[in-house]
């Protein structure tokens, strides 16, 4: 009888130690750990959230969602994940100002829901937070809008400069070519053979850049931006 009592006491102590082990560290420190987990693998974050209430609470902070590795999801992921918990997670990350999530939510608003103003605002905010792909698509859209303002044109050139300086213009073009190979519409057509008409009055190459031109000697950023915009729209129109 005494042995049985001692055995039950030992089991209780082990159970208490097991249940209280996470409480050794403060929730704030677990949130830091959750942020590191989220920045490496989303699935591990989900597993951590599901493990216990303490971890679920630690994972539910803006810092965790802001650093979640959303870039592994397709840019047009809402086509597959619409109405699923994955989209709820993505929107939560966007509210926490995760640039990659904002890019994906902005694309959803702009091209899937038809919310042009809200979509452009979200894409531009993602670009301002440093997402290079968001810089590229925002620049292309700002420069191709039919009713663009001078401020929008200027902002488009600024964002294109960011992409150009990163050396990722061609990679971004390829990424969005794959995106727009899907069920997209309302993209204004353009003829890639048309020469670029530069907006800068001091540009020496003004209006002389064709589709097969050698761009290595072109120094005018506005010319290069207009060229890229026409090439981008042309590839979409003739895909």
């Amino acid at each position: 009888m005494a042995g049985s009592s001692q055995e039950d006491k030992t089991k209780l102590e082990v159970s208490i130690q097991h249940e209280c082990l996470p409480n050794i560290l403060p929730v704030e420190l677990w949130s830091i750990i959750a942020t590191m987990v989220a920045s490496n693998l989303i699935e591990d974050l989900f597993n951590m959230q599901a493990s216990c209430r303490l971890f679920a609470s630690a994972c539910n902070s803006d810092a965790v969602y802001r650093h979640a590795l959303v870039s592994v999801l397709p840019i047009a992921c809402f086509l597959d994940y619409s109405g699923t918990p994955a989209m709820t997670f993505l929107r939560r990350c966007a509210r926490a100002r995760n640039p990659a999530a904002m890019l994906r939510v902005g694309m959803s608003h702009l091209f899937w829901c038809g919310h042009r103003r809200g979509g452009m605002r979200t894409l531009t905010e993602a670009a301002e937070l440093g997402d290079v792909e968001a810089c590229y698509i925002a620049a292309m859209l700002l420069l191709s809008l039919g009713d663009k303002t001078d401020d929008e044109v200027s902002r488009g050139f600024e964002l294109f400069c960011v992409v150009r300086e990163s050396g990722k213009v061609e990679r971004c073009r390829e990424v969005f070519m794959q995106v727009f190979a899907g069920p997209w519409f309302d993209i204004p057509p353009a003829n890639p053979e048309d020469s670029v008409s530069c907006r800068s009055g001091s540009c020496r190459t003004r209006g002389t850049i064709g589709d097969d031109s050698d761009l290595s000697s072109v120094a005018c950023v506005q010319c290069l931006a207009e060229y890229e915009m026409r090439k981008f729209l042309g590839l979409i129109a003739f895909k």
Side-chain angles (χ1 to χ4, degrees), residues 209-237:
I209 301 180
D211 189 49
D212 298 324
S213 298
D214 179 9
L215 303 181
S216 60
S217 60
V218 179
C220 178
V221 176
Q222 294 191 16
C223 271
L224 293 171
E226 293 278 4
Y227 169 83
E228 181 63 28
M229 181 268 291
R230 287 178 177 267
K231 191 174 184 66
F232 173 75
L233 293 179
L235 288 172
I236 294 174

Side-chain angles (χ1 to χ4, degrees), residues 15-223:
S15 176
I16 292 174
Q17 290 176 1
H18 176 71
E19 291 177 0
C20 297
L21 181 60
N23 292 322
I24 295 174
L25 300 177
V27 176
E28 291 76 13
L29 187 53
W30 283 118
S31 292
I32 295 173
I33 294 173
T35 301
M36 297 173 63
V37 170
S39 65
N40 283 283
L41 193 63
I42 296 176
E43 287 80 2
D44 285 347
L45 175 65
F46 294 157
N47 291 335
M48 184 175 180
Q49 285 178 317
S51 60
C52 68
R53 282 182 293 180
L54 175 64
F55 285 174
S57 176
C59 293
N60 190 30
S61 72
D62 282 351
V64 173
Y65 288 104
R66 188 180 304 120
H67 293 90
L69 190 63
V70 175
S71 58
V72 298
L73 298 175
I75 290 178
C77 60
F78 53 86
L79 294 174
D80 298 319
Y81 301 153
S82 179
T84 68
M87 274 307 295
T88 301
F89 170 76
L90 198 61
R91 293 191 183 96
R92 178 66 179 84
C93 289
R95 289 198 300 273
R97 299 186 67 75
N98 181 312
M102 294 173 72
L103 166 63
R104 286 152 179 79
V105 170
M107 293 289 287
S108 171
H109 288 168
L110 186 63
F111 293 105
W112 194 247
C113 303
H115 299 160
R116 173 176 159 179
R117 187 178 298 276
M120 280 302 304
R121 180 171 60 250
T122 303
L123 288 177
T124 303
E125 289 176 355
E128 290 171 349
L129 289 172
D131 190 282
V132 176
E133 292 171 345
C135 287
Y136 179 86
I137 190 63
M140 296 299 99
L141 293 173
L142 287 170
L143 293 173
S144 63
L145 291 174
D147 56 349
K148 50 185 172 286
T149 65
D150 290 342
D151 288 342
E152 288 172 332
V153 171
S154 177
R155 188 66 183 128
F157 286 138
E158 290 174 2
L159 293 175
F160 178 76
C161 284
V162 174
V163 184
R164 182 168 175 261
E165 290 171 0
S166 73
K168 297 179 179 178
V169 173
E170 292 186 2
R171 187 185 69 80
C172 286
R173 185 195 306 149
E174 292 173 359
V175 166
F176 284 99
M177 273 305 303
Q178 295 177 10
V179 171
F180 285 100
W184 301 96
F185 51 89
D186 291 338
I187 302 296
N191 188 342
E193 295 181 358
D194 289 344
S195 59
V196 172
S197 180
C198 184
R199 300 170 190 273
S200 173
S202 60
C203 176
R204 295 182 178 180
T205 57
R206 186 175 182 179
T208 61
I209 301 180
D211 189 49
D212 298 324
S213 298
D214 179 9
L215 303 181
S216 60
S217 60
V218 179
C220 178
V221 176
Q222 294 191 16
C223 271

